[in-house]
Amino acid sequence: MILAGVDGDRAWRLQDYLARGGYSALKKIISEKIPPEAIIAELKTAVLRGRGGAGFPTGLKWSFMPRSFPGDKYLACNSDEGEPGTFKDRDILRYNPHSVIEGMTIAAYAMGCARGYNYIHGEIFEIYQRFEEALEEARAANLLGADILGSGFSFDLFAHHGYGAYICGEETALLESIEGKKGQPRFKPPFPASYGLYGKPTTINNTETFASVPFIINMGGEAFLNLGKPNNGGMKLFSVSGHVNRPGNYEIPLGTPFSELLEMAGGMRGGRKLKAVIPGGSSSPVLPADVMMSCTMDYDSISKAGSMLGSGAVIVMDETTCMVKALERLSYFYFEESCGQCTPCREGTGWLYRVVHRIENGLGRADDLDLLNSVTGNIMGRTICALGDAASMPVQSFIKHFGGEFQYHIENKKCLVSPEVQYEGSQIYVSPSC
Amino acid sequence: MLEIEIDGQQIQVPDGSTVMDAAAKIGSYIPHFCYHKKLSIAANCRMCLVQVEKAPKPLPACATPVTNGMKVWTHSESAVKAQKGVMEFLLINHPLDCPICDQGGECQLQDLAVGYGGSQSRYQEEKRVVLNKNLGSLVATDMTRCINCTRCVRFTTEIAGEMELGQAFRGEHAEIMPFVEKTVDSELSGNIIDLCPVGALTSKPFRFAARTWELSRRKSVSPHDSLGANLIVQTKHDVVKRVLPLENEAINECWLSDKDRFSYEALNSAERLQRPQIKQGGEWREVDWQTALEFAANGLRGIAQQHGGQGLGALLSPHATVEELYLGQKLMRGLGTDNVDFRLRQTDFRADGRRSGAPWLGMPIAGVGELDRLLVIGSFLRKDAPLLAQRVRQAAKRGLQVGVVGPTAEEWLLPVRSRMVVPPSGMVSALGQLVRALSEQKSVVVSEAFVSSLPAAVSEEASTLARLVGSGERVAIWLGNLAVQHSQAAELEALACEIGRLSGGRAGVIGEAANSVGGYLAGAVPSGTGLNAKGMIDSPRKGYVLLAAEPDLDFADAPRTQAALQSAEIVVSLSAFDSPALRESADVLLPIAPFSETSGTFVNCEGRAQSFNAVAKPLGECRPGWKVLRVLGTLLGLNDFAYEDSEAVSKAALGADYTRKLAGGETFHVAEAASVTDSGAGLERVADVPIYFADPVVRRSAPLQKTKDAAVPVARLSPATLAQLGVSSGERVRVGQGSGTVELVAAADETLAAGCVRIAAAHRTTAALGALSGRLSVERA
């Protein structure tokens, strides 16, 4: 859908997008004078769930915006894709930026926003430049700016290039960052819908969410919903990485069995056995192979299995993976990316990393697993934003599903998976001591 | 109102309350670190997590708004579990070095760790170390102890008005620090010491001086600015070790200015006078009290007998207590003279006898929060009255609009909506224009007396400013120190009162010292034919009584004051401090106690009399000033000097209802012309009295003298004036005023009105210049 027909160097250009039927949704709204309420109703019918990770129904979110608010209202697109394993939004911006611009313009129309920002992750420069160019094209064609296509509706959209902090993907930290402040989440309530950018009502959605909107308008909510399965409308991009033969982005209907997705990705590298999958980006709980193979790729099925669909970043690990080492790397990421604002996360993420690091390096203690579980318990639900939970869930799930491997590490001061096997799988040399 | 059940108690709280507010209402203490009632909510420490019905996880009490029908448990099992979890995180990287920490014994982290911390740590990894920061001479840092609550950051940003601290870096590497190569230079910086819930920010002067539990806590009142901040003075073995704020919502709230907080360092300065001394044959010698008092009494009596009481004059400090001022004037009147004054830096006294009472702020200090318009005339508000400026800053956030008239647009760290930057000589005209504009805008007739003297034209700025002042419902007009010390202070005050009348507001005076109001109430001003402070210098007396004032630093015109004193036959000086200039002028030095060693009373700018007791025994042979004056009165055979205690003196001084002696702010008219007119050639002097030079105590506080505010005065000129003179910033210039000449460094000051030179007074390097206003010459040195 979003990535359909985007082959070639010029696919991202306005002309190509128009040729693919782009901006027809916007034009339809304008020519048929579709009222904002109808657009939101259509989204609700479509059950478009937020593609950024939380899976919150988009139509409901849009309906939270106070319609009668007298002053400025803002729209923000979260393209600060920083979750390890996730690389879908940058491909949307790379190959189909106008779908995001069109989706945001429709959203702005539906919610009465006069100004929007697309917050683009700080480590992708070319894509930021390209998006700026796409904006210029849209402005030149009067698809953005004052009095869009003579409709009387005006919407200014700007690109905002971040500096690469993971925390700025948290929506209120993102707003702080746009305001020019240090990217630190705000405590909620108040929520952005009432007190967002510059203190004004603001709606923030993920890039893929916005990119899906034109399709819903064109095909109708019902048809979009039917692409997926009940309560999980539409298609979704999955970023498959890890020990597969063809890692990459795959746009498939929600509800597709995981086994099919794995097959699309070329199957397991070297025909090895699947060991575990992180189904929704690094912060979602890991699932063992057998659980994962029985899942379908949608919000409800993955949630029922004890994890989250998240952003749709599927990290595939085969039998050559040392789960302690994998967790160590994840924990280091959250330790480094904690913003430092609130106590449990600032202090706890470092603690988690150090203990896992110790276990990995043969210095584990008998009570370390209990300690890890207790510390994660003290972080989860006690922090300002979800980073504390994100740092804790991998630890809890790794221990839950692969506790034996951790235990082995602590007792034998070395990996259950031998360094030679690890090297074979990852081509990364692992010290024999671990 | 909202209904909430908290810890089983059903109460009602106003809309917008948080769970923390509700808990405070029922007296239930929720542990917290980052929350502070005067600061914005940060919700970052997570210590105040409580259990809320239907909430899936514990919520921070400080940031959770009460909703109707909410049920909260602040000490339930799940709440305490969350609180203990947070406490563990706070402690894992904390050095736990309480035995060598100055905060020990008054540390929020230490106290709460007793209730919520474990007996031993589960954290076996390496702890974090954070390098210390140099925040200046007042605040010491031990940043490894910091728990990143950001109270200090929020204080500098929100209360002091300038973000001087911030949290840099992320995650575990987060650190509180000042901007690169900067220190914290706010005049309110000491409050971050109180705010810091751990030992990360402690008092540098107090560092390792005592353990807090060894200190006696005694109440006192600040002897410095006109606010009269309430103090807790802490002493050990009769030595003042530290000063903290005594919370008083009506005056200083929970804050102190650095001047109030750190001036105590002067109390045991080497320059304290400890024994009476007399000068005979040009030689000083220490004598016993009896000898000194008799010497003083004989000297004064001799003058009175030879030249009549008129030969005497008394110059009393506005920082002296009501008791001292009252007995000082009573002594002079007993000796048959009315020559007594405490307004030592003032030069225009024509308003005397025209007001309905003592000039004062005209409103309660706490009333600042309710104002919607404020006009400040001729003031260095931020440095002259830091906590009053702080109130204005907070009120401005709630919609108070501030207008300013004066020779400088210096930074006050608060929004000034409209201003007229005019040289001192243009201020009367500026206010005249405001009166004219206001009367036209509001269609109110100007008082008869002003009609003929108002300027014919109204400038654009005056018109804008008048609209601001005239559009309010609760309006105040404040006269600052520069206006009071102005050579046409009477006109300025009269016009301010008229502006008050026209705008429906009220004019008042900020006041320069702790007893700027009290001096009037104590009668330390001339009545009838008596000479005022200026008169006593212009026509020198044969004998003087000098109370707590330094001849070279505390007067409007230091060289003339010193000349007058030196030409006298006898100068009796009661002073807590010694100085070369004092020795040159005085013949008897009577060591009196500073505020910490005597009981007394100050009447602050809002007309509130605040009495205090001594917090320490007098140093050496010092005696409280009021007792010395009492003995002098008795020795001189004067009636009614047998007061039992200082309370009896203040009762006699203030009477039953002293507030009736405060001026009503009515418009008055000055008929006679000013004795000095600010016309003529040359540049105009603008003189501020810098915050840490203002009185004999603060001048001797070593840590305050190391701050940026105590830098050696420079000659500040507008860039245009500098260019005209062909001088560039940083060059030395020779400044001449009257017969005095000094050499100073020139500095560009864009905030200054053209044609002005701003040179600080009350400093030895500028004392030779004399008058605080007037014309001077500047040339390249």
Side-chain angles (χ1 to χ4, degrees):
Chain A
M1 199 165 72
I2 299 170
L3 293 184
V6 294
D7 306 307
D9 291 346
R10 298 189 48 82
W12 66 275
R13 290 282 178 195
L14 177 61
Q15 225 168 352
D16 278 38
Y17 184 64
L18 290 171
R20 292 199 299 273
Y23 288 107
S24 55
L26 182 63
K27 286 171 186 161
K28 180 178 166 190
I29 287 166
I30 288 168
S31 64
E32 293 175 18
K33 295 198 167 57
I34 299 177
E37 298 78 20
I39 294 170
I40 294 176
E42 207 60 43
L43 282 179
K44 286 182 176 169
T45 311
V47 197
L48 172 64
R49 294 178 61 169
R51 304 301 198 221
F56 193 82
T58 306
L60 190 58
K61 191 186 244 186
W62 289 15
S63 65
F64 290 156
M65 281 290 266
R67 289 215 58 85
S68 55
F69 186 81
D72 286 341
K73 281 183 277 186
Y74 290 98
L75 189 66
C77 174
N78 187 347
S79 302
D80 189 58
E81 190 176 42
E83 179 99 341
T86 314
F87 44 84
K88 63 182 178 70
D89 295 339
R90 64 175 177 187
D91 271 6
I92 295 173
L93 294 177
R94 179 187 284 151
Y95 298 118
N96 207 359
H98 282 286
S99 66
V100 179
I101 297 172
E102 187 183 1
M104 287 189 76
T105 308
I106 294 168
Y109 170 78
M111 289 177 277
C113 305
R115 197 164 295 227
Y117 294 90
N118 185 11
Y119 191 97
I120 299 173
H121 191 69
E123 290 154 324
I124 49 176
F125 299 92
E126 209 187 320
I127 288 161
Y128 164 72
Q129 295 294 352
R130 180 173 287 189
F131 191 75
E132 287 280 23
E133 269 187 68
L135 285 176
E136 276 310 315
E137 286 180 335
R139 284 174 194 137
N142 192 218
L143 295 161
L144 267 184
D147 189 19
I148 293 171
L149 300 175
S151 62
F153 166 66
S154 301
F155 177 57
D156 284 316
L157 178 59
F158 305 96
H160 185 102
H161 202 198
Y163 275 85
Y166 173 65
I167 193 62
C168 289
E170 198 280 345
E171 58 181 19
T172 54
L174 182 148
L175 298 180
E176 289 277 300
S177 180
I178 293 178
E179 289 180 10
K181 300 174 189 161
K182 192 179 178 191
Q184 287 188 330
R186 302 172 180 169
F187 58 84
K188 289 140 278 203
F191 292 93
S194 57
Y195 189 94
L197 190 61
Y198 304 110
K200 306 292 181 194
T202 304
T203 290
I204 304 139
N205 280 119
N206 172 255
T207 318
E208 190 186 347
T209 312
F210 281 126
S212 306
V213 171
F215 297 92
I216 295 171
I217 300 302
N218 280 331
M219 71 173 65
E222 196 66 36
F224 183 86
L225 173 62
N226 291 337
L227 283 174
K229 65 183 232 187
N231 199 32
N232 296 270
M235 311 270 281
K236 165 105 190 74
L237 275 166
F238 289 94
S239 310
V240 184
S241 65
H243 299 146
V244 293
N245 281 314
R246 276 208 315 272
N249 283 315
Y250 295 88
E251 192 175 18
I252 54 172
L254 283 168
T256 308
F258 169 72
S259 53
E260 278 179 34
L261 178 62
L262 188 58
E263 219 163 284
M264 279 181 228
M268 296 303 293
R269 210 165 51 176
R272 289 194 196 90
K273 212 177 124 197
L274 179 69
K275 181 172 188 177
V277 174
I278 300 175
S282 64
S283 60
S284 63
V286 69
L287 293 175
D290 53 334
V291 176
M292 199 59 209
M293 288 308 278
S294 64
C295 281
T296 58
M297 296 309 287
D298 57 77
Y299 295 95
D300 296 339
S301 166
I302 302 283
S303 162
K304 214 171 132 197
S307 187
M308 306 183 316
L309 190 70
S311 57
V314 182
I315 303 172
V316 179
M317 292 176 272
D318 70 15
E319 59 197 345
T320 69
T321 312
C322 168
M323 296 312 275
V324 182
K325 185 152 198 69
L327 180 62
E328 183 201 15
R329 190 63 197 83
L330 288 178
S331 291
Y332 185 74
F333 175 80
Y334 290 103
F335 162 54
E336 275 298 326
E337 293 295 341
S338 163
C339 83
Q341 186 183 191
C342 70
T343 309
C345 175
R346 180 183 63 238
E347 308 292 342
T349 51
W351 195 355
L352 293 179
Y353 164 66
R354 288 194 179 89
V355 174
V356 178
H357 177 75
R358 228 184 38 217
I359 299 173
E360 167 65 12
N361 286 287
L363 296 166
R365 304 191 189 112
D367 54 0
D368 273 349
L369 297 187
D370 290 341
L371 180 67
L372 286 174
N373 276 326
S374 157
V375 172
T376 51
N378 283 342
I379 298 174
M380 287 188 78
R382 311 272 168 85
T383 50
I384 290 177
C385 77
L387 197 145
D389 291 13
S392 303
M393 285 185 294
V395 176
Q396 289 186 345
S397 61
F398 271 69
I399 293 174
K400 181 176 164 200
H401 296 297
F402 301 95
E405 204 171 326
F406 282 80
Q407 206 64 50
Y408 182 88
H409 237 292
I410 292 169
E411 283 163 15
N412 300 286
K413 315 221 174 293
K414 61 177 185 181
C415 289
L416 181 64
V417 182
S418 78
E420 295 75 26
V421 175
Q422 285 186 50
Y423 183 79
E424 229 186 290
S426 62
Q427 304 298 302
I428 296 170
Y429 178 73
V430 187
S431 142
S433 76
C434 63
Chain B
M1 294 298 271
L2 300 166
E3 288 269 344
I4 176 174
E5 188 194 305
I6 181 161
D7 293 336
Q9 285 193 50
Q10 201 76 36
I11 56 164
Q12 285 199 327
V13 291
D15 291 6
S17 299
T18 62
V19 172
M20 188 68 96
D21 298 332
K25 202 171 173 187
I26 62 160
S28 176
Y29 178 79
I30 301 175
H32 61 266
F33 296 104
C34 70
Y35 168 80
H36 189 275
K37 61 184 174 187
K38 294 281 182 189
L39 302 175
S40 65
I41 302 293
N44 62 31
C45 78
R46 316 306 284 178
M47 192 63 204
C48 68
L49 291 172
V50 293
Q51 184 189 348
V52 178
E53 189 185 47
K54 289 189 197 126
K57 50 188 186 181
L59 298 176
C62 68
T64 304
V66 172
T67 52
N68 215 9
M70 194 180 226
K71 261 187 177 181
V72 175
W73 296 269
T74 66
H75 291 86
S76 65
E77 200 186 320
S78 97
V80 171
K81 183 167 176 276
Q83 291 157 4
K84 285 186 168 175
V86 171
M87 176 53 84
E88 178 178 40
F89 286 130
L90 287 171
L91 292 178
I92 61 170
N93 274 306
H94 189 79
L96 302 174
D97 57 346
C98 308
I100 56 156
C101 177
D102 255 354
Q103 192 86 351
E106 53 180 14
C107 175
Q108 225 169 321
L109 186 66
Q110 196 181 34
D111 292 350
L112 290 176
V114 173
Y116 299 89
S119 55
Q120 63 182 56
S121 178
R122 296 195 293 165
Y123 185 74
Q124 304 290 318
E125 325 305 320
E126 214 165 287
K127 288 201 179 206
R128 174 173 66 220
V129 172
V130 184
L131 292 184
N132 289 339
K133 313 290 182 286
N134 176 18
L135 302 187
S137 62
L138 304 177
V139 182
T141 64
D142 282 283
M143 297 314 290
T144 302
R145 297 178 188 143
C146 174
I147 58 167
N148 284 283
C149 71
T150 69
R151 275 186 181 183
C152 55
V153 175
R154 283 174 284 145
F155 176 85
T156 61
T157 313
E158 295 161 16
I159 308 293
E162 185 174 15
M163 190 187 195
E164 290 192 286
L165 289 168
Q167 188 189 41
F169 311 131
R170 285 192 319 207
E172 217 187 85
H173 314 297
E175 287 182 29
I176 302 295
M177 57 169 68
F179 287 92
V180 177
E181 297 290 300
K182 302 273 190 212
T183 49
V184 175
D185 300 323
S186 164
E187 65 284 354
L188 299 172
S189 70
N191 293 298
I192 60 177
I193 299 166
D194 297 342
L195 287 172
C196 184
V198 298
L201 305 176
T202 53
S203 164
K204 210 172 244 184
F206 176 66
R207 200 161 169 81
F208 306 140
R211 301 301 323 211
T212 57
W213 54 86
E214 304 169 327
L215 299 171
S216 313
R217 298 162 64 88
R218 290 173 182 145
K219 291 181 193 176
S220 191
V221 176
S222 165
H224 302 298
D225 64 32
S226 64
L227 198 84
N230 291 193
L231 312 177
I232 292 174
V233 182
Q234 298 192 313
T235 61
K236 182 180 169 184
H237 307 317
D238 272 321
V239 177
V240 175
K241 291 287 183 189
R242 185 166 70 160
V243 169
L244 298 174
L246 175 62
E247 196 169 332
N248 185 341
E249 202 52 35
I251 300 174
N252 52 308
E253 303 166 75
C254 54
W255 312 124
L256 277 189
S257 66
D258 288 352
K259 177 151 89 166
D260 295 339
R261 184 187 298 268
F262 294 110
S263 70
Y264 74 88
E265 282 282 309
L267 297 175
N268 296 298
S269 119
E271 290 177 43
R272 270 295 295 277
L273 265 177
Q274 298 202 29
R275 259 166 286 286
Q277 301 182 30
I278 57 175
K279 184 157 74 178
Q280 278 177 319
E283 289 292 309
W284 282 99
R285 65 187 179 92
E286 289 188 356
V287 294
D288 59 29
W289 267 104
Q290 191 61 27
T291 313
L293 286 165
E294 273 169 13
F295 184 93
N298 289 339
L300 295 175
R301 190 186 292 119
I303 303 289
Q305 281 165 357
Q306 264 183 10
H307 307 278
Q310 284 308 313
L312 292 169
L315 296 162
L316 317 175
S317 166
H319 296 277
T321 63
V322 164
E323 291 78 354
E324 290 164 343
L325 292 165
Y326 177 74
L327 291 181
Q329 63 83 27
K330 189 164 178 171
L331 188 80
M332 297 319 283
R333 296 203 156 104
L335 287 167
T337 179
D338 234 4
N339 301 340
V340 57
D341 210 338
F342 77 107
R343 301 162 295 179
L344 307 183
R345 289 203 185 99
Q346 214 166 305
T347 50
D348 178 14
F349 298 89
R350 285 170 299 143
D352 281 3
R354 300 186 192 279
R355 308 180 188 94
S356 55
W360 63 299
L361 194 62
M363 57 178 287
I365 293 166
V368 174
E370 276 122 50
L371 294 177
D372 61 4
R373 296 292 184 277
L374 172 65
L375 175 65
V376 184
I377 301 165
S379 175
F380 306 98
L381 183 69
R382 182 175 151 212
K383 299 295 178 181
D384 282 352
L387 288 177
L388 209 51
Q390 184 273 132
R391 289 235 188 213
V392 175
R393 193 172 294 134
Q394 305 316 318
K397 289 180 196 163
R398 294 190 296 266
L400 168 63
Q401 297 186 9
V402 182
V404 172
V405 179
T408 140
E410 58 169 14
E411 183 59 63
W412 288 353
L413 303 177
L414 56 90
V416 172
R417 289 288 187 102
S418 171
R419 67 165 96 230
M420 294 175 78
V421 180
V422 289
S425 62
M427 284 175 64
V428 171
S429 159
L431 295 195
Q433 291 178 53
L434 280 180
V435 166
R436 180 174 286 278
L438 266 171
S439 105
E440 281 162 13
Q441 286 165 16
K442 304 204 74 156
S443 308
V444 182
V445 182
V446 175
S447 301
E448 184 65 34
F450 291 100
V451 174
S452 61
S453 58
L454 289 185
V458 174
S459 71
E460 193 63 39
E461 290 97 9
S463 178
T464 310
L465 184 53
R467 262 194 297 278
L468 179 137
V469 178
S471 58
E473 282 174 9
R474 296 170 302 280
V475 186
I477 297 101
W478 290 351
L479 291 152
N481 295 354
L482 187 129
V484 171
Q485 292 156 3
H486 195 275
S487 58
Q488 284 171 282
E491 275 90 355
L492 293 179
E493 190 177 340
L495 286 162
C497 291
E498 180 68 0
I499 291 171
R501 191 183 69 85
L502 294 170
S503 61
R506 173 70 208 266
V509 174
I510 295 168
E512 66 165 321
N515 241 344
S516 287
V517 176
Y520 281 97
L521 302 181
V525 283
S527 50
T529 57
L531 293 172
N532 53 44
K534 185 169 188 291
M536 282 183 261
I537 303 302
D538 286 349
S539 36
R541 304 289 94 192
K542 298 289 177 193
Y544 287 98
V545 172
L546 210 54
L547 174 67
E550 299 195 74
D552 54 339
L553 301 171
D554 285 326
F555 290 84
D557 189 331
R560 284 163 61 90
T561 305
Q562 285 173 288
L565 292 172
Q566 281 163 24
S567 72
E569 287 169 28
I570 183 161
V571 175
V572 177
S573 169
L574 290 75
S575 172
F577 296 99
D578 200 352
S579 82
L582 199 55
R583 283 176 181 262
E584 272 173 37
S585 299
D587 299 285
V588 199
L589 291 174
L590 302 175
I592 58 165
F595 80 104
S596 52
E597 299 164 16
T598 180
S599 55
T601 305
F602 293 125
V603 183
N604 72 359
C605 61
E606 63 174 355
R608 180 195 296 253
Q610 301 190 96
S611 295
F612 53 92
N613 290 318
V615 298
K617 283 201 198 99
L619 188 70
E621 291 176 25
C622 283
R623 291 183 185 179
W626 70 271
K627 287 190 180 172
V628 175
L629 290 164
R630 181 178 64 176
V631 180
L632 264 182
T634 315
L635 274 180
L636 286 164
L638 306 178
N639 293 329
D640 270 351
F641 264 83
Y643 294 98
E644 277 275 314
D645 49 26
S646 66
E647 219 171 303
V649 185
S650 64
K651 218 172 189 178
L654 297 176
D657 189 8
Y658 65 89
T659 52
R660 273 196 284 173
K661 291 197 239 169
L662 299 174
E666 301 87 353
T667 299
F668 59 86
H669 180 59
V670 196
E672 67 273 31
S675 59
V676 186
T677 43
D678 250 340
S679 59
L683 299 166
E684 274 185 66
R685 179 167 182 193
V686 174
D688 56 321
V689 178
I691 181 166
Y692 301 140
F693 306 162
D695 62 69
V697 180
V698 75
R699 258 170 225 145
R700 291 175 173 83
S701 166
L704 289 178
Q705 291 307 316
K706 286 184 208 144
T707 60
K708 292 237 164 83
D709 279 333
V712 173
V714 294
R716 297 204 245 173
L717 301 105
S718 70
T721 312
L722 267 181
Q724 276 170 18
L725 293 170
V727 177
S728 44
S729 199
E731 285 186 309
R732 292 192 74 80
V733 287
R734 191 173 297 113
V735 182
Q737 187 184 10
S739 57
T741 307
V742 298
E743 254 190 51
L744 298 168
V745 173
D749 182 350
E750 284 173 359
T751 67
L752 203 58
C756 294
V757 194
R758 178 169 166 180
I759 299 174
H763 194 269
R764 295 207 161 93
T765 58
T766 61
L769 286 180
L772 299 182
S773 59
R775 301 279 164 170
L776 36 68
S777 64
V778 179
E779 57 185 28
R780 192 197 298 267

